[in-house]
């Protein structure tokens, strides 16, 4: 099947407009690499991914095969159509300079972060800081214990694991190849990812 391929270096953002029916594959090339993601309707970006609606709609705390990605208007933006990792998060949010300073100390405030990647990438579409909402964290392992506690722990993603998202509307798909080095989400060593995009099969 013909596809377009992009390599996203460590710590960098990437985005593309996906047409309804296209599939995007994210490949964790070296393993244990968190990939933060946001989706916006390409026709009207006020409609965007909603973590809360997604969790409520599927009645489960994790994102995996079959998860429907729901917008703030309750519509299906896309679906997880393949997953060789088995565990993705949409509860723990993205890293930022400010949250790094609070969580890991003032000396980490000047390290690059996902929020800054999102600001940079969203600016290409006329969007800004206030358009950043709670995001998806592909390949990030945030187990929730029976008491409801959760924390970012070592990733279970092996080298070459992938996740496919097939979109059900035209979307602006934005990712941040997470630069975090203060917790285990990237194995303390941010690495490159590969992104593939292909068209739906002809009918
Ligand atoms: Zn991050």
């Amino acid at each position: 099947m013909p596809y377009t391929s992009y390599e996203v270096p460590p710590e960098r953002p990437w985005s593309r407009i996906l047409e309804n029916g296209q599939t995007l594959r994210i490949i964790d090339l070296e393993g244990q690499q968190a990939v933060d993601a946001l989706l916006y309707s390409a026709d009207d970006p006020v409609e965007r991914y909603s973590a809360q609606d997604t969790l409520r709609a599927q009645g489960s705390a994790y994102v995996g095969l079959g998860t429907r990605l729901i917008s703030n208007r309750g519509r299906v933006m896309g679906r997880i159509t393949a997953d060789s990792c088995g565990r993705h998060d949409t509860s723990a949010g993205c890293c930022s300079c400010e949250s790094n300073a609070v969580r890991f100390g003032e000396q980490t405030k000047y390290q690059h972060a996902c929020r800054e990647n999102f600001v940079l990438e969203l600016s290409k579409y006329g969007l800004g800081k206030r358009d950043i909402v709670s995001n998806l964290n592909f390949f990030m392992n945030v187990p929730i214990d029976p008491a409801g506690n959760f924390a970012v722990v070592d990733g279970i993603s092996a080298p070459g694991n992938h996740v496919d998202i097939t979109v059900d509307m035209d979307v602006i798909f934005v990712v941040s190849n997470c630069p975090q080095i203060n917790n285990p989400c990237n194995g303390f060593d941010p690495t490159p990812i590969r992104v593939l995009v292909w068209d739906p099969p002809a009918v």
Side-chain angles (χ1 to χ4, degrees):
M1 187 181 303
Y3 58 82
T4 312
S5 176
Y6 309 85
E7 179 155 335
V8 185
E11 307 183 2
R12 302 304 299 165
W14 176 89
S15 68
R16 197 187 126 145
I17 293 178
L18 299 175
E19 295 171 13
N20 187 359
Q22 285 188 316
T23 296
L24 176 145
R25 170 170 293 182
I26 305 172
I27 305 171
D28 182 359
L29 293 172
E30 298 185 23
Q32 291 196 329
Q33 176 59 50
V35 179
D36 297 43
L38 289 169
L39 292 77
Y40 300 81
S41 162
D43 294 333
D44 179 9
V46 170
E47 181 170 19
R48 53 196 57 176
Y49 175 71
S50 167
Q52 187 177 33
D53 290 292
T54 296
L55 293 177
R56 190 183 62 217
Q58 72 166 350
S60 168
Y62 305 117
V63 172
L65 185 64
T67 297
R68 295 174 302 150
L69 307 178
I70 308 293
S71 78
N72 58 342
R73 289 178 179 159
R75 299 201 298 160
V76 179
M77 303 189 81
R79 290 160 286 120
I80 309 296
T81 46
D83 175 23
S84 65
C85 173
R87 173 65 65 85
H88 310 275
D89 165 75
T90 193
S91 300
C94 76
C95 61
S96 70
C97 295
E98 293 80 1
S99 69
N100 279 347
V102 170
R103 295 158 77 189
F104 308 115
E106 199 64 25
Q107 75 282 1
T108 65
K109 186 171 183 178
Y110 302 98
Q111 295 172 352
H112 193 48
C114 284
R115 187 176 175 82
E116 284 55 49
N117 270 340
F118 281 145
V119 169
L120 185 67
E121 205 61 28
L122 288 173
S123 69
K124 298 176 180 175
Y125 306 92
L127 301 170
K129 254 185 185 175
R130 67 181 61 187
D131 298 299
I132 298 174
V133 293
S134 296
N135 59 293
L136 286 150
N137 290 306
F138 292 113
F139 308 114
M140 194 161 95
N141 189 18
V142 188
I144 302 171
D145 76 12
N149 303 307
F150 67 85
V152 179
V153 300
D154 286 347
I156 60 170
S157 177
N161 274 179
H162 67 269
V163 60
D164 291 0
I165 303 97
T166 302
V167 296
D168 290 274
M169 63 173 70
D170 294 352
V171 302
I172 304 168
F173 200 102
V174 185
V175 305
S176 167
N177 193 5
C178 180
Q180 182 61 262
I181 54 171
N182 301 292
N183 72 21
C185 69
N186 306 317
F188 301 99
D189 179 24
T191 48
I193 58 170
R194 182 167 295 283
V195 177
L196 311 181
V197 176
W198 63 83
D199 291 334
V203 286

